[in-house]
Amino acid sequence: MDAIILQILNGLDKGSAYALIALGLTLIFGTLGVVNFAHGALFMIGAFCAVTLSRLLSLSHKVEVPGAVDFLGNPQMRDVPYIYDIFGESLGAGIIDWAVPLSILFAIPVMIAIGVIMERGLIKHFYKRPHADQILVTFGLAIVLQEIIKYYYGANPIPTPAPSAFVGSFDFGAVIGFEPGTIIYPYWRLVYFAFAAVIIGAVFAFLQFTTFGMVVRAGMADRETVGLLGINIDKRFTIMFGLAAAVAGLAGVMYTPINSPNYHMGMDFLVLSFVVVVVGGMGSLPGAVLAGFLLGILESFASMREVIAIIPGINQVIIYLVAIIILLTRPRGLMGRKGVMED
C-alpha cells in the first residue's frame, strides 16, 4: 500500500506539469483553433525566467574584508550582492533564497507579453490556414526560441534550488497512519502539486464566473455570433493567448527546482502534452486536466521496478499505448466535443 501511495504522489507530480501545459494548449486551440507546437517553448521560457531573476538577484560587487589580508599582504575581498546594499544582508539573503517563488511576479508580465507578441506577430496570420501549416510554423518558432536560450544560457542544465524552507522531505506516511519513514516525499513536489491545483482552479473560475470568461467561452462555441453582437472577440482571444502563455510559463517557473532548466526541456514536455490534449479531447479544458493527471499516474506506476522487470521499457511507451487504446474506443478523446478537428 505504501508503494501504491508513493506512486500516486509521483503521478500527481508529473500530472501537474502535464495538466498545466495541456491546459494552456487547449485554451489556445479552443479559442483560436491553432495547434501551437511552440507551447513547450513557453514552458521553457518560464523556467528561464526563474534562472534570470535568480542571477539578477545574485549580482554582486567586491568589498574589502576589514582587517583581512592574503599571503601577499593585499586586502582580502569578498563578493556582496547589490541587494544586500538595498535591503540589508538578512532580508537580502532571504530574497535570494526565495528567488523561484518571486519569479512568479517576474514571469507573469514577461509571459503575457511574449504570448501577445507571438499571437499578433505570427499566429494571427495562420488562423485560416490548415493545421499542418500551423504545426510547421509553430514548431519552427519553438526551435528558434530553443536555440536563443541555448545561445545565451548554454547547453548545460542550470540548477535552481527551491527555498531552504522547502528543502528536504515530508513524512507523508506518518500523517496517514503508516509507520514513520514509510512514505517520504519531497516538500517542493507537494508545493508544485498545490500550486498547479490553484492555477487550474483559477483558470476555470476565471472562465466560468467572470464576464470576460463567459464571452470567451461563447466565442469558443460560436465565434461569428459573438462578433455580430458587437464584441471584439479577436482582442479577447489575443488576451487569452497571453494568459495561456502565462500558465505555461508559471508551470515552468515552479518546475525549476524539480528539473534543472535546460534548453530542450520544452521539447521534452511538448509531445507528451499534446498526447494529453488528444486523450482528453481537443478543445476540452476539463479533459486536458483529467488526462494530464491520469497519464501522469499511469506513467508513474509503469516506472516501478516490479513492472519494468515484467515488461521492460513499458514506462517509455505507456502513455502512447493508453492514447492508442482510448482513441480506438473514443475517437474524440475522454471529453472531446463533436466537430472539433473532424473536418
Side-chain angles (χ1 to χ4, degrees):
M1 180 58 70
D2 58 328
I4 292 174
I5 294 175
L6 184 60
Q7 294 307 319
I8 290 175
L9 289 172
N10 284 330
L12 291 175
D13 167 30
K14 294 180 180 178
S16 297
Y18 295 158
L20 283 175
I21 301 174
L23 183 64
L25 276 169
T26 306
L27 277 173
I28 292 173
F29 181 80
T31 54
L32 302 174
V34 173
V35 182
N36 180 22
F37 256 65
H39 202 71
L42 297 175
F43 175 79
M44 172 196 65
I45 292 173
F48 278 93
C49 282
V51 172
T52 301
L53 184 64
S54 181
R55 289 183 173 182
L56 289 174
L57 293 176
S58 299
L59 288 175
S60 61
H61 58 97
K62 298 288 185 180
V63 172
E64 183 177 327
V65 180
V69 295
D70 60 19
F71 69 96
L72 295 175
N74 298 316
Q76 285 191 359
M77 309 295 286
R78 69 185 181 98
D79 292 324
V80 176
Y82 287 106
I83 200 167
Y84 286 11
D85 300 333
I86 302 172
F87 296 102
E89 184 170 350
S90 178
L91 181 56
I95 292 174
I96 293 174
D97 185 41
W98 283 77
V100 170
L102 290 174
S103 298
I104 292 173
L105 303 177
F106 174 63
I108 288 175
V110 170
M111 297 308 304
I112 290 177
I114 290 174
V116 170
I117 291 171
M118 281 178 57
E119 193 274 337
R120 289 288 87 190
L122 179 66
I123 304 298
K124 73 172 185 179
H125 301 293
F126 288 84
Y127 286 161
K128 298 182 180 180
R129 300 280 288 272
H131 290 307
D133 291 356
Q134 297 171 359
I135 290 172
L136 286 173
V137 72
T138 54
F139 186 74
L141 177 61
I143 293 175
V144 170
L145 293 173
Q146 177 177 288
E147 291 303 312
I148 290 173
I149 292 294
K150 181 180 178 182
Y151 177 80
Y152 284 104
Y153 292 91
N156 296 322
I158 303 173
T160 310
S164 56
F166 296 103
V167 172
S169 299
F170 176 67
D171 194 342
F172 193 80
V175 174
I176 59 177
F178 285 85
E179 290 292 326
T182 304
I183 305 175
I184 303 294
Y185 205 71
Y187 283 115
W188 189 257
R189 290 179 181 268
L190 295 174
V191 169
Y192 190 78
F193 170 67
F195 174 79
V198 169
I199 293 297
I200 291 169
V203 170
F204 277 95
F206 175 74
L207 292 174
Q208 190 71 30
F209 301 116
T210 66
T211 302
F212 187 100
M214 292 177 186
V215 172
V216 168
R217 287 191 292 115
M220 292 169 69
D222 192 339
R223 181 171 182 161
E224 291 185 2
T225 300
V226 173
L228 291 174
L229 294 174
I231 298 173
N232 188 347
I233 194 65
D234 289 339
K235 181 179 179 180
R236 293 174 186 259
F237 282 177
T238 299
I239 295 173
M240 286 307 300
F241 196 103
L243 293 177
V247 169
L250 293 180
V253 166
M254 295 296 282
Y255 204 74
T256 51
I258 298 174
N259 185 15
S260 297
N262 56 74
Y263 73 96
H264 57 77
M265 67 184 300
M267 290 296 185
D268 294 341
F269 276 91
L270 176 65
V271 176
L272 291 174
S273 298
F274 261 98
V275 173
V276 169
V277 170
V278 173
V279 168
M282 294 296 288
S284 171
L285 297 175
V289 174
L290 173 64
F293 285 111
L294 173 63
L295 294 180
I297 291 172
L298 287 175
E299 185 181 18
S300 179
F301 275 102
S303 300
M304 296 176 66
R305 288 194 299 269
E306 296 83 354
V307 176
I308 294 176
I310 298 172
I311 312 176
I314 186 63
N315 58 314
Q316 302 293 325
V317 298
I318 183 65
I319 287 182
Y320 306 104
L321 290 176
V322 171
I324 291 171
I325 293 170
I326 289 178
L327 292 179
L328 285 174
T329 55
R330 296 182 62 87
R332 292 176 185 147
L334 294 175
M335 302 179 71
R337 295 179 296 161
K338 182 178 179 181
V340 178
M341 289 195 78
E342 292 182 351
D343 52 336

